[in-house]
Every structure is written in C-alpha cells, then in structure tokens.
Amino acid sequence: MKKKYIPCKLATKNMDTTQLRENFLIDDLFVPGDLILYYTDCDRAVVGSACPIDKQIELTSPKELRADYFCERRELAILNIGGKGVVNVDDVAYILENLEMLYVGRGTKKISFESLSQEKIAEFYIVSYPSHKEYPTTKSAKGDANILSLGNQSQANVRKIHQGICQARIQSSQLVMGFTQLADGSVWNTMPSHTHERRSEVYLYFDIEPNECVFHLMGTPDETRHIIVRNKQVVLSPSWSIHSGVGTRNYTFCWSMGGENQNFDDMNEAPTKDLK
C-alpha cells in the first residue's frame, strides 16, 4: 500500500506545481488486473481501485493497517465506473452495474472483486475510513440514490447529484459517497466553493475525454491553488481546503467524505467575491 501525507495549509501556500501534485493527486489507479491502495493521514482514509480481468482480486489487509482483515476496524464504499462486475462480501455476491455503489460494513472478513466480461472489465473505485459501529452491507443500485438537480445554464453548472451512501439512503459510521454528473455545456462544479471543517473529501474525476481536463481548485479562500486533473485521477481534499473545479467540457466526479459529521449541507461557504 502506498502512502500520501497531507501538508498543512501554511506549507501548501509555498508549493509549486510538482509539489502540489505529489502531495494531493493520485494518478495511477485503475490498472487492468491490479489492486492499488493508498493510505493517507487525512482522516486515515484509504483510497484505491480494483480492476479484475480473468480472475478474482481479493482485498486483504495491508501490513500498515495492523488488522487481521481489511474491515476489522473499517468500513468501505465501492463505485463501479467500468463494465458489469461482482463484489463478493463474506460469500454473498453483489452484482454492480456501471455507476452502482456498494457499502461494506465493519466486521466483514472476506472481500473480492471480479469482472463479468474480459472485453469490458469492471473498474471498482474504493474509499475506506475507520468505523466505530457496524452497519449492514447494502447496495445502491441505479435509481436508489437520492438525486438533486442543481445549477443553471447561465452559470454553466447544470448538474445532477446522486447521493448513494448518505443519511437519507444507506447508513454508515462516517463514510459518505455519491457522484455528480454535469450536463452537456456545463463545466463548473460546487460553486460557490466551500470548506468542510469537520470532514475531509476525496474527489475522483472520470468521464473526461482524452484531450480534455479539469482544473481542480484548492487551497484557502485567500490563497487559492489549482491542480490539472485528467481522466480517472483523484484529488485528496483536507478540511481546510476549498474544493471546486471547472472543466474544458462536462465530466463526472465521485465525492467521498469522512469525518465527524455526515450532514451533506455542513459546509463553510467561500463567496466567489472573496476568492484570491
């Protein structure tokens, strides 16, 4: 398991492009046939991917967790952004279509991934946080999520927010997950920007065309920075950082949060007029 240690906001303001990318960006996930995991000290999240081809990939406990099995003290969320696949959880098989999610609760001992087609393999995105209570493993199928339609065309931010693992749908100890799809012609997400003082956030950007990109905005409101993000790349967003973005065309992103508060609207807004 690889590691990412998050710098404080004072150190971040003096970083150049390379240093920002090294500390906040994950750009090597979704390798066919491989399981890749990152541990970050940002709320002790684990972020990764599993892309099985012709055999199952098992999620075991890396030595860094000092646990007998991965979910001994953790919960995890899975989003499939590829072809149809299966997540086996303690010998129960959950089929996940594209853009379906699965919550796996603390105490689960065996987890493995497989694809149902070698021509279009499943691409499982994984986010995990420590858990202090057990909740049942639950699937969020298409149509199960709480959907919010937000934005307007004049501000180029028409979007649909799919809240899958959240208080209104699937209970968890602290983990929240969903994804946002921007309409054709819309490029801005999460404006006005904001911070989450009581939780961190992890952004996976996908459905980005090969020659396009997203400018992920970060930093404090008075010391903004940006990271250019390509398809299937992840940005780690600590509680002190704003998180917003604009693409060269529309895209989709998965947001995952962990911390002391699961309330989706618990945020500190950073008005656009005050950004620097």
Side-chain angles (χ1 to χ4, degrees):
M1 183 162 63
K2 305 176 185 181
K3 296 179 182 179
K4 288 275 189 182
Y5 293 106
I6 300 298
C8 69
K9 57 185 176 182
L10 294 178
T12 300
K13 67 185 293 185
N14 296 313
M15 289 183 174
D16 61 20
T17 296
T18 298
Q19 292 170 322
L20 287 172
R21 295 178 69 84
E22 287 177 348
N23 284 280
F24 296 97
L25 181 71
I26 298 175
D27 61 1
D28 60 351
L29 299 183
F30 302 102
V31 176
D34 204 358
L35 169 72
I36 300 172
L37 296 175
Y38 276 85
Y39 176 89
T40 172
D41 59 341
C42 189
D43 282 322
R44 294 181 173 82
V46 174
V47 182
S49 64
C51 300
I53 302 176
D54 56 353
K55 59 183 179 181
Q56 291 186 7
I57 294 178
E58 185 177 359
L59 179 62
T60 58
S61 179
K63 66 180 186 301
E64 293 85 353
L65 297 186
R66 301 294 195 272
D68 292 334
Y69 48 94
F70 189 91
C71 282
E72 183 178 7
R73 299 182 298 271
R74 286 183 164 269
E75 59 186 356
L76 65 88
I78 301 162
L79 170 68
N80 183 14
I81 65 170
K84 185 186 293 187
V86 178
V87 183
N88 299 293
V89 180
D90 282 346
D91 299 321
V92 178
Y94 295 89
I95 297 176
L96 292 189
E97 302 270 3
N98 179 260
L99 297 183
E100 291 189 331
M101 289 171 272
L102 183 70
Y103 169 79
V104 180
R106 169 181 161 169
T108 301
K109 293 186 176 180
K110 295 191 297 181
I111 303 169
S112 64
F113 307 90
E114 58 183 300
S115 293
L116 294 182
S117 170
Q118 294 184 34
E119 285 67 43
K120 187 172 177 54
I121 66 172
E123 296 177 288
F124 296 109
Y125 174 57
I126 303 165
V127 177
S128 171
Y129 283 92
S131 174
H132 303 289
K133 185 176 180 179
E134 295 183 4
Y135 289 95
T137 295
T138 308
K139 174 181 172 180
S140 177
K142 289 183 178 179
D144 288 347
N146 184 47
I147 299 178
L148 304 176
S149 296
L150 300 177
N152 57 76
Q153 191 57 53
S154 66
Q155 294 180 303
N157 65 357
V158 177
R159 61 200 188 276
K160 284 190 176 181
I161 300 176
H162 300 252
Q163 300 174 331
I165 301 171
C166 63
Q167 290 176 310
R169 288 294 186 266
I170 296 175
Q171 293 298 302
S172 68
S173 178
Q174 66 164 314
L175 205 161
V176 180
M177 176 185 273
F179 61 90
T180 300
Q181 294 175 307
L182 276 72
D184 189 26
S186 288
V187 292
W188 281 99
N189 73 70
T190 320
M191 288 298 285
S193 56
H194 57 267
T195 62
H196 295 304
E197 290 293 339
R198 286 151 292 282
R199 56 190 174 183
S200 59
E201 189 159 7
V202 183
Y203 268 56
L204 164 68
Y205 290 94
F206 60 104
D207 289 346
I208 302 175
E209 297 294 332
N211 295 322
E212 311 294 340
C213 70
V214 174
F215 293 79
H216 177 92
L217 303 181
M218 60 166 295
T220 58
D222 61 342
E223 285 280 355
T224 58
R225 299 291 184 269
H226 76 270
I227 298 177
I228 291 180
V229 184
R230 308 291 178 181
N231 193 40
K232 299 177 185 177
Q233 295 183 349
V234 170
V235 177
L236 304 174
S237 182
S239 61
W240 51 263
S241 177
I242 65 168
H243 41 275
S244 183
V246 59
T248 51
R249 63 164 299 164
N250 62 319
Y251 51 94
T252 306
F253 64 96
C254 174
W255 41 269
S256 304
M257 292 178 276
E260 66 173 289
N261 194 339
Q262 295 174 299
N263 183 358
F264 184 82
D265 294 324
D266 179 18
M267 57 186 72
N268 299 334
E269 286 198 2
T272 304
K273 65 180 179 62
D274 295 335
L275 297 179
K276 296 179 180 179

